[in-house]
Amino acid sequence: MFHGHIVLKGKYKKNFYVHFLHLVTSIRILATPETCIPLNAKAKILLDTFVKDYAALYGQKFINYNVHSLIHLSFFVLKHGPFE
């Protein structure tokens, strides 16, 4: 399902790769019915960290509504269930 973490390992600088892992891990948690509720808080922390670190890595001017909206995904999964 998700292979980016394997394909990109060693291709990015470590801080960019770890940043990418925050996104991949949180989306995997929220997309899996067995983990979307019990690990929802962890996914929220990962997404909050991803958005916060985004500005430091890529620049504040590149944070747009789409990036900011990621911090709300865990709430909507609690409300509507896992991604399908």
Side-chain angles (χ1 to χ4, degrees):
M1 185 170 171
F2 298 104
H3 303 290
H5 65 287
I6 296 166
V7 173
L8 296 176
K9 188 171 186 173
K11 305 272 192 266
Y12 284 158
K13 292 181 182 176
K14 185 176 179 177
N15 56 340
F16 287 92
Y17 181 70
V18 169
H19 185 247
F20 174 73
L21 289 180
H22 286 139
L23 179 63
V24 170
T25 304
S26 62
I27 297 301
R28 180 67 179 242
I29 289 169
L30 296 175
T32 306
E34 296 80 19
T35 60
C36 69
I37 302 301
L39 297 177
N40 191 282
K42 178 64 174 176
K44 178 166 178 33
I45 291 168
L46 290 170
L47 287 169
D48 288 346
T49 302
F50 178 84
V51 172
K52 179 182 63 92
D53 293 347
Y54 194 94
L57 290 171
Y58 301 104
Q60 184 70 36
K61 65 183 177 183
F62 292 109
I63 290 190
N64 59 26
Y65 181 75
N66 294 328
V67 173
H68 168 78
S69 293
L70 292 171
I71 65 174
H72 303 292
L73 288 179
S74 62
F75 168 77
F76 287 108
V77 167
L78 285 175
K79 189 172 181 172
H80 300 290
F83 303 143
E84 302 241 4

